[in-house]
Amino acid sequence: MAAMLGGGDGMMGQLPLEQWFYEMPVCTRWWTTLTVVASVLVQCHVITPFQLFYSFRSVFYKHQYWRILSTFFYFGPLSLDLLFHVFFLQRYSRLLEEGYGRSPAHFSWLLFYASAVLLCIAPVFSMAFLGSALNSTLVYIWSRKNPDTNLSFLGLFIFKAPYLPWVLALFSIVLHGAVPKDEMCGIVVGHVWYFFNDVFPPLNNGIRPLDPPAWWVRLWDGRPPVEDHEDDSDEAQDTAAEPIDRDIAAAVAPELR
């Protein structure tokens, strides 16, 4: 009866925005929510950006461990720039997470790997907020997994998906007059993941060094991981999105004020 009243998914009386929110996979949903919440709290002066950025000294000497997570959630105050960030975050994070639809363990392991690497290299490049870098990692991986997808940049020109990270980086250079080091770091981290998950295994008897360990899969799924990879090609195809013939816009990295 509920399905009849509320549509095929049984979500009775649900608003379009609410339906869009609950259709997002769990990791993407939480990341998007915390991103918006962090910006709202800063906008309302409940907290400040200085309480959110990542600092090795603050975390490991002053024991402010929340910064390990908060650095990935803050993209700046409420603005059009934040809207662009949320669009890219939820879109490409969602596409990748849905591509690993058999198990949230694989996508969460990707987030863990990328976050850990970015936290390690952040002090070297003096990066305080790592959300843009992590987002660039996901955009890069998605773009390499969907080489035939067409994208349009502001209606000016059409290009293939693998060029997307570089188009966004170039746009950031035009806006800021400097190389976006956070986006470049995200691209490098994403390329390492892509290489060891899509290029390395076929050349080395299916060995996948960056697959999640068994204990991680049990933590998320409550069952051991599937050993055979005979349908890996199908899983890779699942990450493909329909051709995108819409405009895209580059997001600007938040600045510490």
Side-chain angles (χ1 to χ4, degrees):
M1 178 64 71
M4 295 176 61
L5 294 175
D9 55 2
M11 297 182 180
M12 183 170 54
Q14 201 172 59
L15 298 176
L17 182 62
E18 184 181 3
Q19 182 176 358
W20 166 80
F21 176 78
Y22 283 107
E23 284 178 350
M24 283 189 288
V26 59
C27 294
T28 300
R29 186 191 310 162
W30 277 105
W31 190 13
T32 302
T33 301
L34 291 174
T35 294
V36 175
V37 168
S39 294
V40 170
L41 292 178
V42 170
Q43 191 74 31
C44 296
H45 304 289
V46 177
I47 57 178
T48 70
F50 295 97
Q51 297 173 288
L52 302 176
F53 72 89
Y54 174 69
S55 165
F56 183 88
R57 181 174 296 275
S58 296
V59 171
F60 296 101
Y61 288 88
K62 297 182 180 180
H63 308 293
Q64 298 175 358
Y65 299 114
W66 69 84
R67 295 179 184 270
I68 293 177
L69 296 178
S70 63
T71 183
F72 294 104
F73 300 140
Y74 184 66
F75 288 84
L78 297 178
S79 62
L80 183 61
D81 177 46
L82 176 65
L83 182 62
F84 287 148
H85 274 296
V86 172
F87 168 78
F88 276 95
L89 184 158
Q90 69 84 27
R91 176 162 183 79
Y92 295 104
S93 175
R94 175 177 179 172
L95 288 173
L96 275 180
E97 188 170 0
E98 289 175 345
Y100 292 109
R102 292 185 306 171
S103 163
H106 288 78
F107 183 73
S108 61
W109 181 253
L110 164 58
L111 291 180
F112 176 79
Y113 149 81
S115 300
V117 175
L118 289 171
L119 288 170
C120 290
I121 66 177
V124 178
F125 296 96
S126 300
M127 295 188 297
F129 293 103
L130 302 178
S132 293
L134 181 56
N135 200 15
S136 294
T137 298
L138 302 183
V139 170
Y140 180 86
I141 295 173
W142 177 87
S143 69
R144 294 303 299 267
K145 286 180 173 290
N146 298 271
D148 297 323
T149 300
N150 291 321
L151 299 173
S152 171
F153 183 73
L154 301 178
L156 300 178
F157 59 93
I158 297 175
F159 56 92
K160 295 294 185 180
Y163 294 103
L164 174 60
W166 308 106
V167 170
L168 297 181
L170 180 61
F171 190 71
S172 293
I173 293 175
V174 172
L175 287 180
H176 300 288
V179 176
K181 57 186 177 181
D182 53 349
E183 293 184 23
M184 299 308 296
C185 287
I187 288 174
V188 172
V189 173
H191 182 73
V192 172
W193 176 273
Y194 170 76
F195 176 81
F196 282 106
N197 277 272
D198 293 80
V199 179
F200 183 84
L203 302 177
N204 293 270
N205 299 319
I207 298 175
R208 307 173 67 88
L210 290 185
D211 267 7
W215 64 267
W216 184 274
V217 176
R218 286 194 297 268
L219 178 66
W220 285 85
D221 294 351
R223 57 181 174 80
V226 179
E227 294 296 335
D228 63 285
H229 301 284
E230 60 185 84
D231 58 342
D232 281 343
S233 58
D234 294 336
E235 179 180 343
Q237 292 296 326
D238 289 342
T239 62
E242 69 281 359
I244 305 172
D245 296 321
R246 65 186 68 181
D247 291 346
I248 62 172
V252 183
E255 296 181 358
L256 181 63
R257 293 181 173 84

